[in-house]
Amino acid sequence: MSAPTVTAERERELLPRVREGLLGASAAAGAQGLPGTDAAGQLLRPMVAFAGVRGEPPAGFWDAVLAVQLAHEASLLHDDVIDQAAVRRGQPTLAKARGVACALVQGDHLLTAAYRAAARTGSLKFVTLFARAVERTVAAEAAQGRAVGQVLTRAAYDEIALGKAGELLGCALASAAVLEGRADAGEVFELGRRLGLLYQMLDDLLDYCPQTDTGKPPLGDYAQGRWTWILGQAPDLRFGGEPAHAARALHRSTPRGCPMARALTQLEAEGRLLRDALSRHLPDDVTTVGLVDEWIGRAREAVAREAVVVETPIAVPPTVPAADLAAALRARVPALDAVDAYLATGSRSFRFASRLFSPDDAGRVARVYAWCRVTDDLVDDPPAGVDAAELLDAWLGLSRRAYDGHPTGLPLLDRVMGEMGARGVPFRHAASLVEGMRMDLRGERYATLAELRRYTFCVASTVGLWLTQLMGVDDAVVLERAERMGHAMQLTNILRDVGEDRANGRMYLPAELMAKHGITEPMLARMCAGGTISPAWRALVEELMAVAEDDYRTALEAVPSLPPSFARPVAVAAHVYRGIHREIRRNGHDNLRRRAHTRSSAKVSLALAALWELFRASRGSASLGRSRTLQAGTWN
């Protein structure tokens, strides 16, 4: 979260006390030869239980809390067996490390110990409530298993979710009320169940947000055919497709709106209702209300982070340009046999990595790169007396004509577009790049990171998608990673050239991030003129480099899935370009007056590291594109 929540403040105050009480009860259980808990993590259920205490905890309270916690920990071991999960919270699951039998026995032992803890409370009412909660939790898991592959009504989903997550949270929140014999115990229990339902809804939403770390592989529900409320927002989705494709469909805008945006609105509404109910019934407690606020905030951040760029149809102008525009294009487009010389004037990172292509692939990629360079140059350095926007339109129109198989009189254009069409690469990639150049011509600025990603998609991600499909790769997961690579490399490019871009009247940094770090235009002007690079500027640059690094890490996971002759140069190019971040730091984060370059010696070192990492990844595991397990959602 960007700022401390009331939950975080409350947690700092109460978590040590909750952990102390829980560990005391656990030690008593250990003295009887029973398994206990190490009281690690956020201790959601114990914290919720403590939220229901009025004054001092009643007798038997900590045994009740231990019972709930042990039942929860048992359920995690059993869930990992059911889900065939290999990792939880970044660590191997017990089932993976020591086998399913060990996990089942340990889970059963925790559960029986939980009943012993409940019995130590001396409250038949609590034992009865706890036994019901455990039974309903198990029954809900069984019901979910029977419903695999089926479309559920919202009522059926709620019944399962209230059992899976609601019963134990309800038992936790009501434990003090039950032990004290309060008349409102039943009402408190129902509030806890509703809290559990909201928690399960959040968990299901985050499962379709692959860029959010939840401690378990994303997209598991869809991969295993489990219907959740999220799919109710996109009734056209069916099980059986690629999980990553389903996630993108949920985050993509349609004429009826964005399904995930509708889901977020619904979650927010349910959160507000629950928050009001908790505030009315537990006026002195901020923990449960704070949890609701934190969960809704987390959902908002996750949905914003996914922000799928919508590939809207881009108008293609008439295919026959005016004579003056045609002449200007002929003067700018290099001959086929002059592509290498054309690219030699710049693009040092590209030329360094391109030596690893096979000769045929090197030619295809160089021609695509030349097409992109021409497109860029038409905007950055248009011929005198020619309108750049009209020139772009003419270029796009001729490109479409060549893609459709009609000669244009420009051999490079005919060859590039002919190869694109012959290999089934969608023309929209070329059209999207031109749209990105139009955004530059319009001098667009970007309020948010999500808006900036629309631009980076057009000018960089589309090129990655184009080249990947040109190499015959059409796997949805791998293409999604190619898109992420484009975002990463373009963001690095933006960070390297902030000063140069600003001098040319362009600013790509999101306004909200500049405001967050207190960076204003006058401050930028002073730093560009020789003023001291401020700590706030360094923090802003570091935050954006961290965003790029996250995209690099995710994208590089798919590189072993590419054909080897393509994987090697992609890995090297990514590592070399990523090395610019180190150079920005070497320059004291002065990307306003100095342009960071990766030195030749550093490029060689980075290239060797990239090739070694690629070799180990290729030898050590199945590729993303061919591993059904990874396609099912174990990538993150």
Side-chain angles (χ1 to χ4, degrees):
M1 307 292 288
S2 58
T5 64
V6 69
T7 304
E9 296 168 1
R10 183 70 164 170
E11 183 176 298
R12 284 194 296 271
E13 175 188 346
L14 295 181
L15 187 56
R17 186 176 179 186
V18 170
R19 181 169 283 117
E20 180 184 3
L22 187 57
L23 286 174
S26 183
Q32 299 178 6
L34 296 173
T37 177
D38 59 5
Q42 295 181 342
L43 300 179
L44 170 63
R45 288 151 193 84
M47 288 289 288
V48 167
F50 201 73
V53 173
R54 294 179 180 175
E56 290 299 313
F61 174 76
W62 292 114
D63 285 320
V65 173
L66 178 63
V68 172
Q69 182 65 16
L70 291 177
H72 167 64
E73 293 179 10
S75 74
L76 295 182
L77 293 176
H78 291 160
D79 280 350
D80 289 339
V81 171
I82 293 170
D83 297 341
Q84 301 180 35
V87 177
R88 182 179 287 276
R89 299 296 174 197
Q91 300 296 321
T93 62
L94 185 61
K96 177 67 175 178
R98 299 183 58 188
V100 169
C102 180
L104 289 175
V105 171
Q106 180 66 11
D108 289 345
H109 200 188
L110 288 173
L111 191 55
T112 53
Y115 283 116
R116 293 275 295 274
R120 284 199 302 274
T121 65
S123 169
L124 179 60
K125 287 185 176 180
F126 178 79
V127 171
T128 302
L129 181 68
F130 176 71
R132 168 213 151 97
V134 173
E135 185 276 327
R136 288 288 84 199
T137 301
V138 175
E141 286 286 357
Q144 186 177 63
R146 291 191 297 270
V148 167
Q150 300 177 19
V151 176
L152 302 180
T153 64
R154 178 57 198 269
Y157 166 82
D158 283 357
E159 184 177 356
I160 290 174
L162 284 166
K164 282 186 59 179
E167 289 288 331
L168 280 178
L169 271 173
C171 188
L173 188 61
S175 56
V178 171
L179 293 173
E180 292 173 344
R182 285 170 19 203
D184 66 343
E187 188 174 352
V188 175
F189 175 73
E190 287 303 321
L191 284 173
R193 288 214 320 150
R194 286 177 59 187
L195 189 67
L197 173 61
L198 188 72
Y199 180 75
Q200 186 63 52
M201 291 176 68
L202 170 69
D203 188 67
D204 293 340
L205 181 146
L206 296 181
D207 188 59
Y208 284 95
C209 296
Q211 296 183 59
T212 297
D213 182 14
T214 63
K216 58 184 180 180
L219 307 178
D221 288 335
Y222 183 85
Q224 296 179 43
R226 290 198 296 244
W227 193 96
T228 65
W229 73 285
I230 297 297
L231 293 181
Q233 313 305 313
D236 295 336
L237 269 181
R238 295 291 183 269
F239 292 125
E242 291 294 341
H245 197 63
R248 286 173 62 82
L250 285 166
H251 289 277
R252 187 180 297 281
S253 295
T254 71
R256 292 177 293 174
C258 174
M260 193 58 80
R262 289 198 299 271
L264 180 60
T265 299
Q266 185 175 338
L267 188 71
E268 290 171 333
E270 300 212 16
R272 283 194 298 272
L273 291 174
L274 177 57
R275 191 185 194 283
D276 291 345
L278 289 166
S279 297
R280 287 195 304 271
H281 199 84
L282 302 171
D284 297 328
D285 172 62
V286 295
T287 299
T288 53
V289 169
L291 280 172
V292 172
D293 291 342
E294 181 181 343
W295 294 347
I296 297 302
R298 192 176 181 201
R300 288 170 179 156
E301 289 180 0
V303 171
R305 191 178 295 116
E306 295 297 322
V308 171
V309 176
V310 182
E311 297 171 9
T312 53
I314 297 173
V316 179
T319 57
V320 180
D324 60 331
L325 296 177
L329 289 174
R330 283 195 297 272
R332 285 302 178 90
V333 180
L336 265 175
D337 58 3
V339 166
D340 289 341
Y342 175 66
L343 295 178
T345 58
S347 315
R348 286 176 289 184
S349 295
F350 167 76
R351 287 187 290 115
F352 179 81
S354 66
R355 299 167 187 171
L356 296 169
F357 283 115
S358 68
D360 288 344
D361 286 346
R364 275 191 289 269
V365 172
R367 287 188 287 274
V368 171
Y369 207 91
W371 184 93
C372 296
R373 270 283 298 278
V374 169
T375 307
D376 192 44
D377 289 345
L378 294 178
V379 172
D380 288 345
D381 186 25
V386 177
D387 182 79
E390 292 181 0
L391 197 59
L392 266 183
D393 285 348
W395 178 240
L396 181 60
L398 282 179
S399 296
R400 181 71 218 200
R401 183 174 178 81
Y403 183 84
D404 292 337
H406 305 294
T408 65
L410 297 171
L412 172 64
L413 186 59
D414 292 344
R415 182 76 175 272
V416 172
M417 292 293 119
E419 290 172 340
M420 189 185 199
R423 295 199 169 215
V425 181
F427 183 75
R428 67 172 179 269
H429 297 328
S432 290
L433 183 68
V434 171
E435 179 61 21
M437 296 301 101
R438 288 178 180 141
M439 294 164 79
D440 277 340
L441 274 178
R442 293 192 294 265
E444 291 191 13
R445 295 203 173 190
Y446 306 96
T448 65
L449 186 59
E451 288 184 12
L452 179 61
R453 287 178 83 87
R454 166 64 179 164
Y455 171 76
T456 61
F457 176 86
C458 287
V459 299
S461 293
T462 51
V463 180
L465 293 169
W466 182 347
L467 293 176
T468 303
Q469 291 181 282
L470 193 65
M471 297 299 162
V473 178
D474 204 32
D475 181 87
V477 177
V478 178
L479 291 176
E480 188 269 340
R481 301 310 174 85
E483 181 180 324
R484 294 281 291 272
M485 184 72 82
H487 288 306
M489 297 182 80
Q490 187 61 32
L491 192 51
T492 297
N493 188 41
I494 287 169
L495 287 168
R496 181 192 62 188
D497 296 339
V498 175
E500 184 178 318
D501 287 334
R502 187 176 181 276
N504 292 325
R506 295 176 184 168
M507 174 58 71
Y508 297 102
L509 303 184
E512 70 173 7
L513 287 184
M514 292 182 65
K516 171 185 172 182
H517 291 279
I519 303 296
T520 64
E521 288 289 341
M523 289 175 63
L524 271 180
R526 286 195 297 270
M527 287 188 287
C528 286
T532 302
I533 300 299
S534 70
W537 178 256
R538 292 191 182 96
L540 170 61
V541 172
E542 284 291 340
E543 180 170 348
L544 287 172
M545 285 197 291
V547 173
E549 286 289 341
D550 184 59
D551 279 327
Y552 278 120
R553 280 191 297 270
T554 303
L556 283 168
E557 292 175 0
V559 173
S561 302
L562 301 173
S565 64
F566 187 42
R568 289 188 291 270
V570 167
V572 168
H575 280 75
V576 169
Y577 224 68
R578 198 180 189 182
I580 292 173
H581 294 174
R582 182 174 62 184
E583 301 306 318
I584 290 174
R585 294 187 179 103
R586 285 181 186 273
N587 291 342
H589 297 82
D590 183 1
N591 49 0
L592 297 170
R593 302 179 297 250
R594 304 173 66 183
R595 196 171 193 262
H597 294 286
T598 306
R599 295 164 296 173
S600 297
S601 58
K603 285 180 181 178
V604 172
S605 177
L606 290 167
L608 292 174
L611 294 174
W612 174 243
E613 184 178 306
L614 177 61
F615 172 76
R616 293 182 61 192
S618 300
R619 290 286 298 272
S621 63
S623 67
L624 280 175
R626 288 184 287 274
S627 168
R628 187 64 217 171
T629 301
L630 286 167
Q631 286 182 357
T634 60
W635 52 272
N636 186 26

